[in-house]
Amino acid sequence: MSNPPPTAPPNDLPPEPFPWMSTNRPSGPYRMTLRTPLSEALLGSFLLVMALFFLLTAIDGDSTGVLVVGLGIFVIAGGAGVFMLIVAIARARWFRAFERAHGRRPF
């Protein structure tokens, strides 16, 4: 079976960037969805604040182990935070274009 060719979005709307961010529908009492650019930006900001916290904790640490672990967590959390902010910016542009083309939110 072959897949049908992708259809062109109306009004030359570009394809959704990072579509996998909006297709996951978690269930249960402890779920977090990242369907809107605002939620992605909030998560990215939170990760950057936590990365800064770990950096300051690592600098104040007395041992080398605390410094190494704190810097490692800083790099991981900071990178994830920057990535989420980039995703939020890209998807915010697409959200605005979708709203202009269709007159409603995509979800």
Side-chain angles (χ1 to χ4, degrees), residues 25-42:
R25 295 186 184 266
S27 61
Y30 305 108
R31 65 179 182 259
M32 181 176 76
T33 59
L34 298 174
R35 298 178 68 190
T36 63
L38 177 63
S39 63
E40 294 160 353
L42 289 175

Side-chain angles (χ1 to χ4, degrees), residues 31-75:
R31 65 179 182 259
M32 181 176 76
T33 59
L34 298 174
R35 298 178 68 190
T36 63
L38 177 63
S39 63
E40 294 160 353
L42 289 175
L43 178 63
S45 300
F46 173 74
L47 287 171
L48 285 175
V49 167
M50 291 309 299
L52 183 63
F53 171 75
F54 278 108
L55 177 66
L56 295 175
T57 303
I59 291 172
D60 289 341
D62 293 334
S63 69
T64 306
V66 170
L67 181 65
V68 169
V69 170
L71 289 177
I73 293 174
F74 167 73
V75 168

